[in-house]
Amino acid sequence: MVTTVFTNGRILCPGSWDGFVSTLVVEDDHVAHIGWDNDEAVVRIQATASIVDLMNRIVLPGFIDGHVHILNFGMSLEKLDLLPCKFLAYIRNAITSYAAAHPSDTRILCRGWIQSVTEGKALATALDDLDPRPIYIEALDLHSTWCNYAALEELGAHSKPDPPGGKIHRCLNGIPPSHIHEEKLVAINAAMDAHRRAGYTGVVDMAMGESEWNALNIYRDQRGELSMHVAAHWLVPYSKCEADICSHIDRAISLHQRFNRKTSPGFCINGIKLICDGTVDGCTAGLQQAYGGCSNIVDPIWPADSLAAAIRRATNAGPGLARLSSSQHLEITTSEDAKRLGQLGIMASVQSFHLDPANFGAWPEMLGTQRCKRAFAYQEFVDSGAHLAFGTDAPTAEHQALRNLYVATTRRSSIDPSSQNTVNSEFAVSLTTAVSAATAGLHMLLFQTRGQGVSFRDTRPISLC
């Protein structure tokens, strides 16, 4: 056994007096001890161990992206990014230039559209004269898609019924078509590489379906193993047909029996995801008051009785599939909501990129200034006793962990670093809290303990939802 003692460092250790300690002991590929130079466990082996002076460097666990959409993120890397476009004219110019530079593409695929940039309007006629090919533009929040007429025709959107909780505006919206397997495998590989380069050791995919699962399995079979740990939550869409809901839950239960922490620690199904409402940006989030300019309150997608029945079915499947619960995004909450997170042991899984001031301009008009003062109340969640977990929600935002931490701690923009604007700075979390939420806060749940140490090889993602 090879033992190495790393001394004179700043090693993240949540629960210590300032969040950091000085010494790390590694035995082979296991973390055997984290503490101080004079700890008995360190003194006992110093004479025979290799000593490495960290020279006051910071040591962190590998990042975990607590909320990502692997396939969508990988595919988005090849799409035209419209986030920098602040006016419809800029969007049109960007698409025209992109189309000219990609004459052999079957479709023009774009991402990053913010609805407020086009004043809430997304007409097919604004795109029809740009290119004869189908044009699909994903909204930044992935909850809406803007298409030209050619895309609507390709989809047959005019004859399709509205989805539960949504609406097909017959000249506005659509869903991008599926891509062939090879393109999906390339996209997954790009997503994995991008996360690994950014310092991640694991990801939690928060909307797994058959298409994504099949592609990931093919990718995994071809390579023997994945380059990082993947925990997936099976998406259970709402349906008025109870049998449809049950079939999705039963599929998750069946997969979990084979792919769980014990049988498949690096690639597993650990929970289900129920999308209860939409997003503030799309005016589809279910809030207690109506949006500005609207008279009706947006109802949740799931009726309460159907939601309760779905949760019971997943919970009754046995321990593991529904052991932990989390609430995702938490864009607007009341103080009572924040308190309930801690009281009920619900993890606050948040993505600070979403509060970037560069994307916040339309909120006061949609919500009013008073409600905006309650936006993204992260420190209040911590004060309530809730566990905080960070993700990126890529591709709705970039995947870079350090920029995510920057926004969470400063409440300033990573999109426009020169801006002095902030969003509710009183809810900023400390750097130690933020780093813990992106690393140790998830690692304490994701790492599998072996005796006194934690194995680097056997880190194990578990359910966060």
Side-chain angles (χ1 to χ4, degrees):
M1 182 173 63
V2 177
T3 301
T4 305
V5 178
F6 297 86
T7 64
N8 190 28
R10 286 178 289 165
I11 301 161
L12 181 68
C13 184
S16 60
W17 71 275
D18 67 346
F20 291 88
V21 294
S22 67
T23 308
L24 171 70
V25 178
V26 175
E27 295 178 348
D28 290 337
D29 61 350
H30 293 71
V31 175
H33 183 78
I34 301 175
W36 303 95
D37 288 349
N38 58 358
D39 290 350
E40 180 182 352
V42 178
V43 173
R44 186 175 63 249
I45 50 89
Q46 271 185 326
T48 57
S50 299
I51 308 296
V52 176
D53 187 348
L54 294 173
M55 295 184 288
N56 207 36
R57 294 188 181 94
I58 292 177
V59 178
L60 306 175
F63 292 114
I64 298 291
D65 192 334
H67 187 130
V68 69
H69 305 279
I70 298 172
L71 182 56
N72 278 343
F73 171 56
M75 296 179 72
S76 76
L77 298 176
E78 298 298 321
K79 297 178 182 178
L80 172 62
D81 185 8
L82 298 178
L83 184 59
C85 300
K86 302 304 180 184
F87 302 97
L88 176 59
Y90 294 177
I91 291 175
R92 285 172 51 83
N93 290 339
I95 293 174
T96 299
S97 298
Y98 182 88
H102 297 79
S104 62
D105 287 5
T106 305
R107 305 172 183 87
I108 307 299
L109 304 179
C110 311
R111 63 184 174 95
W113 159 55
I114 299 176
Q115 289 94 326
S116 60
V117 169
T118 53
E119 298 180 349
K121 299 177 182 178
L123 301 177
T125 52
L127 306 174
D128 285 338
D129 62 334
L130 302 182
D131 195 273
R133 290 169 287 182
I135 299 174
Y136 297 90
I137 305 176
E138 287 180 344
L140 183 65
D141 58 23
L142 294 185
H143 284 247
S144 301
T145 307
W146 174 18
C147 304
N148 65 350
Y149 187 78
L152 294 171
E153 285 289 291
E154 182 176 57
L155 293 169
H158 300 291
S159 60
K160 288 186 175 180
D162 291 340
K167 182 176 180 60
I168 297 178
H169 300 274
R170 302 303 161 178
C171 293
L172 301 178
N173 227 343
I175 301 173
S178 299
H179 286 240
I180 61 174
H181 275 302
E182 187 57 36
E183 290 176 327
K184 291 180 179 179
L185 300 182
V186 171
I188 292 171
N189 191 63
M192 294 285 189
D193 284 348
H195 271 81
R196 190 170 58 251
R197 288 194 301 270
Y200 291 96
T201 59
V203 297
V204 181
D205 191 295
M206 274 294 174
M208 186 65 63
E210 292 291 352
S211 177
E212 295 85 357
W213 181 253
N214 290 336
L216 272 169
N217 267 286
I218 294 172
Y219 179 85
R220 178 170 169 260
D221 289 342
Q222 287 183 356
R223 286 156 178 79
E225 61 181 16
L226 299 176
S227 58
M228 62 180 61
H229 299 284
V230 175
H233 291 72
W234 199 260
L235 179 61
V236 179
Y238 172 68
S239 171
K240 292 181 180 179
C241 176
E242 183 180 353
D244 289 344
I245 296 174
C246 291
S247 68
H248 284 284
I249 296 175
D250 291 346
R251 175 63 169 153
I253 292 171
S254 175
L255 288 172
H256 178 262
Q257 291 172 346
R258 179 181 175 189
F259 298 94
N260 56 64
R261 289 185 67 199
K262 292 182 178 180
T263 61
S264 180
F267 181 64
C268 45
I269 297 289
N270 285 329
I272 61 172
K273 178 178 181 178
L274 308 175
I275 301 179
C276 297
D277 64 352
T279 66
V280 171
D281 290 303
C283 294
T284 53
L287 303 178
Q288 294 179 351
Q289 302 172 32
Y291 290 89
C294 300
S295 57
N296 296 325
I297 294 176
V298 175
D299 291 326
I301 295 173
W302 284 76
D305 55 347
S306 297
L307 181 65
I311 294 173
R312 281 196 300 269
R313 190 176 187 91
T315 304
N316 291 340
L321 190 62
R323 279 185 306 149
L324 299 174
S325 62
S326 74
S327 185
Q328 299 293 322
H329 306 311
L330 293 166
E331 296 177 326
I332 293 287
T333 56
T334 65
S335 58
E336 290 76 18
D337 291 330
K339 292 176 183 177
R340 287 195 297 163
L341 291 172
Q343 292 168 353
L344 299 176
I346 298 173
M347 178 174 284
S349 179
V350 298
Q351 303 75 40
S352 60
F353 279 129
H354 292 171
L355 71 84
D356 194 299
N359 298 330
F360 200 70
W363 280 47
E365 183 178 350
M366 291 188 292
L367 301 178
T369 55
Q370 284 303 115
R371 275 197 288 182
C372 283
K373 292 178 181 179
R374 294 288 318 164
F376 306 101
Y378 296 167
Q379 184 57 47
E380 194 170 72
F381 305 156
V382 175
D383 292 340
S384 78
H387 292 289
L388 198 64
F390 279 177
T392 65
D393 202 15
T396 72
E398 64 173 306
H399 67 291
Q400 298 292 341
L402 294 180
R403 292 188 180 185
N404 204 15
L405 300 184
Y406 172 80
V407 178
T409 55
T410 67
R411 312 289 283 204
R412 290 178 55 181
S413 176
S414 69
I415 296 174
D416 182 10
S418 64
S419 172
Q420 299 298 309
N421 294 333
T422 62
V423 173
N424 299 340
S425 56
E426 66 273 18
F427 292 136
V429 297
S430 69
L431 183 58
T432 299
T433 297
V435 172
S436 295
T439 59
L442 287 164
H443 275 251
M444 287 187 291
L445 296 173
L446 300 175
F447 280 175
Q448 175 69 23
T449 301
R450 283 186 175 180
Q452 299 298 314
V454 177
S455 169
F456 288 126
R457 291 178 180 170
D458 287 322
T459 55
R460 307 201 178 184
I462 66 170
S463 173
L464 299 180
C465 185

